[in-house]
Amino acid sequence: MSLFRSVCTVSRFWIDSSALVPGLLRFNTSNIRCFSSEKSVVHAPLFAAEHWKNTLPQGKKVSAIDLALNSVVKVFTVSNKHRTFQPWQFCLQDEGTGSGFVIAGRKILTNAHVVANHTSVKVRKHGSPTKYKAKVRAIGHECDLAILDIDSDNFWEGMNPLELGDIPSLQEKVYVVGYPKGGDTISVTKGVVSRVELLEYSHSATELLAIQIDAAINEGNSGGPVIMGNKVAGVAFETLGCSDSIGYIIPTPVIKHFLNAVEESGQHVSFCSINLSYQNMENDQLRNHFKMSDDMTGILIKKINPLSDSHKILKKNDVILAIDGVPIGNDSTVPFRNKERITFKHLVSMKKPCERALLKILREGKEYEFNISLKPVPRLVPMHQFDKPPSYYIFGGLVFLPLTKPYIDDASISKYALEKMPKKAGEQIVIISQILEDDINTGYNIFEDLQVKKVNGVQVHNLKHLYKLIEECCTENLLMDLEQDNIIVLNYKSAKKATSKILKKLEIPSAMSKDLQPRQLNRRRKVPR
């Protein structure tokens, strides 16, 4: 992301008495995790779109506002999330609003960041004073999309589903419909398509296809439809900070990928990735060194994720020439529509999990073709953490956490760890988040934000492993090796006592998160006759 590119999600207009500064509005730009309820029976809409269109006078052109009045809704959300540095505590409750719209199957589509960490979701349709309780059926934080269900026939009466269209051409007219700040009723703004390319979504830091438009997208617009003709061209979700008339929408290929996955599995499925790092091949000397002919173009593999299927087949310094028969340019782009180009990662992201891709490879001057299975692979450092409590463990006043991108952002520490790849499944980077002051940890406060490498000489695999190593310690002293060759030594029994004292003093309910707590077995006892 460019140093000057400040992107913010705009779907939620937050109300916060602590932020009543003239000209300033507080926004929640946090991201969301994809989880869904069990797959439910899909009901036919009460009023099909085709039937509704047939009720219009013959020859009348359908406007964006005609489509929107019985389709676009206002979403009211109450949310609550855990604190980054005190994960046993909640932040203050937030209230916000966004937009959404009806799609086939009596469902409402909106942005994931509109309903992230929600405790309550309600929906109001145009012209109605009633707010209807909604349930989040599925949520995809990567693509910033969510599906809402409403179990009320009264709500669905008169509502019409919008139909998804295609990717609009450059300079094509579009209309943004939603409930932005500045009023309470529905709003429509007009603009044109400026560009189509892959973009890092600010909600999830996932790189997916996006469309840039110059229509006004304001706080509260997110989740609303962007209409082209009489179909939906995308979902409004971001703007570019400190700039005028630059907004972004999620295009229909990404929307359909999300909806199809939910329809097939009942929940969101992560988007596929090539799971490797690469270098562009624009330099002639570089191409000559790797024995590329004049008619060859491609990208050079630097590192491959050990957990991916590609790791078993591809090698460092292989040159990827083409994917599924589509040549990859030396700048990592592939042809896209009429004289447009887009990064090859779009072809990968649109595949279903475990779907295969045919890669043409140049290895030591010889060409090979490999059929590789593509699947989502968890990152070593998670890019987001939504809708679930964070993990933590406290011992001797040391607060241990698994490193995440939200923590890196909030703590303003180096982002170097984001580029690291896991060596085995379940691996985490465990850090000392903070030191809760006590005599037992005097002098160790300089070790905040450092990674714990080993405990008593054993390499730490993840937070659960660290918890086990500490709890099962049978030596007098507990020795922890940190990054930068730092060492922490604690007398085990003294640190154990200090932990209880610190928890009581600071009114911390537990020394560990629920996912680390031993499960209590329900032992049934026979009742004598």
Side-chain angles (χ1 to χ4, degrees), residues 422-443:
K423 295 177 181 177
K424 52 185 177 180
E427 184 179 357
Q428 293 175 326
I429 295 177
V430 181
I431 63 167
I432 298 174
S433 168
Q434 61 175 311
I435 313 290
L436 305 176
E437 194 275 330
D438 187 82
D439 291 342
I440 195 73
N441 53 49
T442 300

Side-chain angles (χ1 to χ4, degrees), residues 40 242 348 382 444:
S40 57
C242 303
V348 177
Y444 291 154

Side-chain angles (χ1 to χ4, degrees), residues 48-296:
E50 288 302 321
H51 170 75
W52 171 67
K53 290 175 188 175
N54 292 335
T55 62
L56 292 172
Q58 292 295 321
K60 181 179 179 181
K61 188 175 180 180
V62 181
S63 69
I65 193 65
D66 290 330
L67 287 169
L69 291 181
N70 295 318
S71 302
V72 182
V73 299
K74 188 169 186 176
V75 182
F76 300 82
T77 307
V78 178
S79 67
N80 207 350
K81 67 175 184 177
H82 288 263
R83 294 182 181 275
T84 302
F85 304 114
Q86 294 85 31
W88 52 87
Q89 295 180 344
F90 279 101
C91 298
L92 293 176
Q93 183 172 279
D94 277 320
E95 296 182 9
T97 65
S99 303
F101 62 97
V102 177
I103 58 175
R106 298 218 323 182
K107 298 188 290 283
I108 291 174
L109 189 66
T110 186
N111 279 139
H113 70 262
V114 173
V115 295
N117 302 310
H118 68 277
T119 57
S120 169
V121 180
K122 294 181 180 179
V123 169
R124 191 187 71 198
K125 58 183 182 179
H126 175 70
S128 170
T130 306
K131 295 177 185 177
Y132 295 87
K133 187 175 180 180
K135 180 181 178 181
V136 178
R137 175 183 174 186
I139 188 165
H141 291 285
E142 287 174 303
C143 56
D144 200 359
L145 293 170
I147 297 173
L148 307 181
D149 280 340
I150 297 179
D151 187 19
S152 169
D153 289 338
N154 289 336
F155 172 83
W156 292 108
E157 186 176 346
M159 298 299 285
N160 301 303
L162 295 181
E163 187 179 347
L164 300 179
D166 299 319
I167 300 176
S169 301
L170 299 182
Q171 288 300 304
E172 195 150 5
K173 288 183 181 179
V174 290
Y175 296 85
V176 178
V177 186
Y179 291 86
K181 68 174 185 178
D184 191 46
T185 57
I186 201 165
S187 164
V188 180
T189 57
K190 182 174 68 173
V192 298
V193 173
S194 306
R195 61 164 65 105
V196 180
E197 62 184 359
L198 257 69
L199 180 78
E200 186 180 277
Y201 287 21
S202 63
H203 177 67
S204 64
T206 302
E207 197 172 1
L208 294 170
L209 192 67
I211 298 174
Q212 179 184 321
I213 62 174
D214 69 354
I217 297 180
N218 294 306
E219 299 155 357
N221 262 128
S222 285
V226 177
I227 296 173
M228 176 184 66
N230 62 354
K231 294 183 180 181
V232 174
V235 176
F237 79 121
E238 286 184 359
T239 59
L240 186 61
C242 303
S243 63
D244 294 327
S245 303
I246 298 181
Y248 296 96
I249 68 175
I250 303 170
T252 51
V254 176
I255 299 171
K256 291 175 182 177
H257 189 284
F258 168 70
L259 294 177
N260 290 339
V262 173
E263 190 66 28
E264 291 174 9
S265 64
Q267 63 182 26
H268 168 63
V269 177
S270 296
F271 285 75
C272 288
S273 168
I274 197 67
N275 293 312
L276 53 80
S277 60
Y278 62 89
Q279 177 180 339
N280 290 346
M281 303 284 287
E282 296 176 284
N283 187 280
D284 291 338
Q285 299 158 96
L286 182 65
R287 292 197 299 272
N288 290 336
H289 177 78
F290 287 97
K291 301 178 181 178
M292 295 177 67
S293 61
D294 293 340
D295 60 340
M296 286 182 179

Side-chain angles (χ1 to χ4, degrees), residues 400-454:
F400 302 98
L401 301 176
L403 186 64
T404 63
K405 185 178 183 296
Y407 183 92
I408 290 174
D409 293 340
D410 290 347
S412 300
I413 59 178
S414 172
K415 296 185 178 182
Y416 171 72
L418 296 175
E419 305 302 322
K420 292 184 177 181
M421 295 182 178
K423 295 177 181 177
K424 52 185 177 180
E427 184 179 357
Q428 293 175 326
I429 295 177
V430 181
I431 63 167
I432 298 174
S433 168
Q434 61 175 311
I435 313 290
L436 305 176
E437 194 275 330
D438 187 82
D439 291 342
I440 195 73
N441 53 49
T442 300
Y444 291 154
N445 61 315
I446 60 173
F447 297 143
E448 290 184 354
D449 297 331
L450 293 188
Q451 180 183 359
V452 182
K453 296 278 193 176
K454 294 179 181 180

Side-chain angles (χ1 to χ4, degrees), residues 443-488:
Y444 291 154
N445 61 315
I446 60 173
F447 297 143
E448 290 184 354
D449 297 331
L450 293 188
Q451 180 183 359
V452 182
K453 296 278 193 176
K454 294 179 181 180
V455 172
N456 286 343
V458 180
Q459 196 80 28
V460 174
H461 179 51
N462 53 34
L463 182 63
K464 196 168 188 176
H465 185 220
L466 176 136
Y467 160 76
K468 186 177 180 182
L469 291 174
I470 294 178
E471 291 294 318
E472 296 178 358
C473 176
C474 54
T475 58
E476 181 181 356
N477 290 329
L478 182 74
L479 175 67
M480 283 180 277
D481 293 315
L482 312 182
E483 62 177 304
Q484 301 173 6
D485 297 322
N486 293 299
I487 295 175
I488 287 179

